[in-house]
Amino acid sequence: MMARDNADPLESYNRKRDFAKTAEPRGTFDKLAWGNGDGFMIQKHDATRLHYDLRLELDGTLKSWAVPNGPSLDPADKRLAVQTEDHPLSYATFEGTIPLGEYGGGTVMLWDRGTWWPAPGKDPRKSLAQGHLHFFVDGERMKGEWILIRLKPRRGEKAENWILRKIEDEYAGNPTGLTDRNLTSIKTGRTMLEIAAGKKAKELPGWKKGPIPPRHGEG
Ligand code: MN
């Protein structure tokens, strides 16, 4: 649902988590606190089921979808993307473990990050409400033109199911080109096993803390 002006868009995020137990950040809504408004990131999350959490910054929160099979570079592939609760901007750099038994218990790797922007002439707030988002990403791994489309709800479904699909461009290619070739964190270089084992995190030389530097000229 789109957040109303007087509602806390992170209420659902905070309600699901016990911050005495998880190392995840508590969600505070402050749209001016961080970022250029166009942050993009993906967290690889080995929980009940392995998935990739796609997050797009919009109006002070991270719109989020869990993609079980991750992004495919093949435009013929429609990847299920289940919309999840808006996440706080402070989640953008989270990597680590969530205790088993807690919400999302398992291992989280920061798998990609960069910037995103909507297709020219499209207002993402309007189009998301209508069930589609045509967008571009410039991540370290995921690039180019993509589309998210909401599926018609079926009876008994608890979450909104969307489809994530690559649009044909110079970055299109092999279905597993992204997920099979990129097995380490872009923040610490660790594998999922190393994160799970609590191997000491050492930030990669190219890693920059805080806001993602703008890398494109569009609004
Ligand atoms: Mn997740």
Side-chain angles (χ1 to χ4, degrees), residues 71-93:
S72 167
L73 290 179
D74 182 352
D77 263 355
K78 294 173 178 166
R79 292 285 162 96
L80 176 67
V82 181
Q83 190 163 25
T84 56
E85 74 278 14
D86 292 357
H87 277 51
L89 299 182
S90 52
Y91 210 89
T93 55

Side-chain angles (χ1 to χ4, degrees), residues 72-76 117 134-138 141-147 165-174 178:
S72 167
L73 290 179
D74 182 352
W117 60 101
H134 180 182
F135 64 105
F136 293 78
V137 294
D138 184 13
R141 294 168 173 170
M142 190 167 159
K143 292 179 187 293
E145 195 171 353
W146 297 79
I147 193 159
R165 190 169 70 75
K166 183 83 194 74
I167 305 275
E168 188 68 55
D169 64 10
E170 73 261 42
Y171 301 108
N174 186 297
L178 284 175

Side-chain angles (χ1 to χ4, degrees), residues 43 45 47 51-53 55 66 84 87 91 104 108:
Q43 275 138 338
H45 186 184
H51 59 273
Y52 294 74
D53 287 302
R55 309 193 197 283
T84 56
H87 277 51
Y91 210 89
V108 179

Side-chain angles (χ1 to χ4, degrees), residues 106-127:
T107 308
V108 179
M109 169 197 284
L110 190 59
W111 185 80
D112 200 7
R113 78 163 179 174
T115 54
W116 80 280
W117 60 101
K122 303 274 187 187
D123 179 344
R125 297 155 198 90
K126 259 189 216 164
S127 84

